[in-house]
Amino acid sequence: IELILTVFENIHMAEEEINEFFADIVCVGKDEFKNMPLSETMGIFKETFSSGELSDFFKQAGQLIQ
């Protein structure tokens, strides 16, 4: 829980990197991702995560931290 809190407290320091990371996931440019309406962004994430591949990746990454 402390790790998650630390990440959220400092997320503003990595805004550009986070936007670039998520833009890569949804296959758009960083600036395009940054300017997308939230509803469109959430729809893309929902579709991406429902494929199973990306959610499996994050599950495995989470297990590395434990």
Side-chain angles (χ1 to χ4, degrees):
I1 293 176
E2 287 181 38
L3 174 63
I4 293 169
L5 288 174
T6 301
V7 168
F8 281 110
E9 288 172 355
N10 296 295
I11 204 162
H12 66 281
M13 297 170 69
E15 182 179 353
E16 289 298 312
E17 292 84 356
I18 291 168
N19 282 334
E20 188 172 346
F21 174 74
F22 285 122
D24 285 345
I25 288 175
V26 298
C27 301
V28 298
K30 180 175 61 172
D31 291 331
E32 184 179 349
F33 176 80
K34 194 175 184 179
N35 294 318
M36 274 184 185
L38 183 58
S39 60
E40 185 177 346
T41 305
M42 296 308 292
I44 291 170
F45 282 129
K46 186 176 181 180
E47 184 178 314
T48 303
F49 278 96
S50 68
S51 73
E53 291 179 26
L54 196 56
S55 60
D56 288 344
F57 168 78
F58 282 111
K59 284 178 188 175
Q60 290 178 8
Q63 290 173 352
L64 292 175
I65 296 171
Q66 296 177 359

